[in-house]
Amino acid sequence: GQNIDQPTEMTATEGAIVQINCTYQTSGFNGLFWYQQHAGEAPTFLSYNVLDGLEEKGRFSSFLSRSKGYSYLLLKELQMKDSASYLCAVRPEYGNKLVFGAGTILRVKS
Amino acid sequence: KAGVTQTPRYLIKTRGQQVTLSCSPISGHRSVSWYQQTPGQGLQFLFEYFSETQRNKGNFPGRFSGRQFSNSRSEMNVSTLELGDSALYLCASSPSSPDTQYFGPGTRLTVL
């Protein structure tokens, strides 16, 4: 089966750094994605990892360890607008099928 | 470039009816995937179409079907609607497959 785990909720302070973890057990692995979804809106693409290591994109970074089935999304210099759900998704096979975790609701407080 | 568009944005149907949802991908994108999002099950993959061919299918009953046209636009159909089909249906497009997917705003379907 396919299993992707991430914390349900997290709270952090404006200006701080937060790390959202994701662990996965899937039938195969062909890449891991992070999406951001604000309430009532569509998911928007944040990052993609297929090889081990860190990918940095502005205030957002994502890390992958394939041997551990583990990824994290790091958000720096948190802003109020970062309050959203963060979705970890694995592409288990060739093609575009994504298996999503339940999402982590991040609340940024002032 | 315009993003992924989906029509209609909101839809109310009754049990037993059927519904067709439409998705226009980003210009130049050839792959379209459909997902169902509910509070209980989260985001679940329905199917992917690439160059008018169904490439992959999720674990949904045969009441859920789709197709893709030569201009890459896609439709999905749900027949004999059930209350549990109430969900946000999201379409995502990508230039190729596999590739990064970009989501549309979704169609909110309510089944009464």
Side-chain angles (χ1 to χ4, degrees):
Chain A
Q2 322 277 29
N3 194 44
I4 299 177
D5 287 317
Q6 34 179 148
T8 305
E9 293 183 21
M10 298 182 72
T11 301
T13 305
E14 196 175 15
I17 299 172
V18 71
Q19 178 175 311
I20 302 174
N21 295 324
C22 170
T23 58
Y24 64 89
Q25 291 175 304
T26 53
S27 55
F29 183 83
N30 194 26
L32 185 143
F33 295 80
W34 285 94
Y35 283 85
Q36 179 193 60
Q37 187 175 27
H38 285 99
E41 297 183 12
T44 56
F45 169 71
L46 290 177
S47 70
Y48 167 64
N49 296 71
V50 67
L51 299 176
D52 291 351
L54 189 69
E55 292 284 341
E56 297 185 84
K57 196 188 287 187
R59 294 190 298 115
F60 296 81
S61 303
S62 57
F63 171 83
L64 174 67
S65 169
R66 288 172 297 169
S67 62
K68 295 181 178 176
Y70 169 69
S71 173
Y72 68 73
L73 179 70
L74 195 70
L75 292 78
K76 304 174 189 173
E77 301 168 15
L78 280 173
Q79 302 174 10
M80 299 299 290
K81 67 178 182 179
D82 296 330
S83 293
S85 179
Y86 291 85
L87 301 161
C88 173
V90 171
R91 187 166 59 201
E93 57 201 64
Y94 194 78
N96 270 336
K97 173 183 177 178
L98 292 179
V99 178
F100 281 86
T104 299
I105 296 173
L106 174 65
R107 294 190 173 87
V108 181
K109 58 181 184 180
S110 56
Chain B
K1 262 187 189 176
V4 179
T5 59
Q6 293 186 243
T7 57
R9 294 292 312 278
Y10 302 91
L11 205 49
I12 299 175
K13 292 285 188 179
T14 55
R15 276 180 300 175
Q17 288 187 308
Q18 75 162 17
V19 67
T20 299
L21 312 181
S22 181
C23 171
S24 291
I26 294 170
S27 177
H29 285 197
R30 296 167 59 197
S31 170
V32 173
S33 296
W34 289 88
Y35 293 84
Q36 181 196 65
Q37 187 173 32
T38 60
Q41 299 297 319
L43 262 161
Q44 293 186 288
F45 173 80
L46 280 156
F47 27 64
E48 178 197 3
Y49 286 88
F50 181 73
S51 294
E52 301 179 68
T53 301
Q54 188 178 85
R55 169 161 287 197
N56 208 338
K57 193 176 190 310
N59 295 324
F60 280 83
R63 300 185 297 107
F64 292 81
S65 62
R67 59 178 175 168
Q68 187 179 34
F69 302 96
S70 58
N71 62 358
S72 294
R73 191 178 70 85
S74 177
E75 291 181 345
M76 69 163 279
N77 184 277
V78 188
S79 62
T80 320
L81 283 166
E82 300 178 359
L83 295 179
D85 297 333
S86 294
L88 180 66
Y89 289 88
L90 291 160
C91 163
S93 79
S94 64
S96 187
S97 180
D99 209 327
T100 299
Q101 294 175 69
Y102 299 91
F103 284 84
T107 295
R108 172 79 58 189
L109 172 65
T110 301
V111 182
L112 303 176

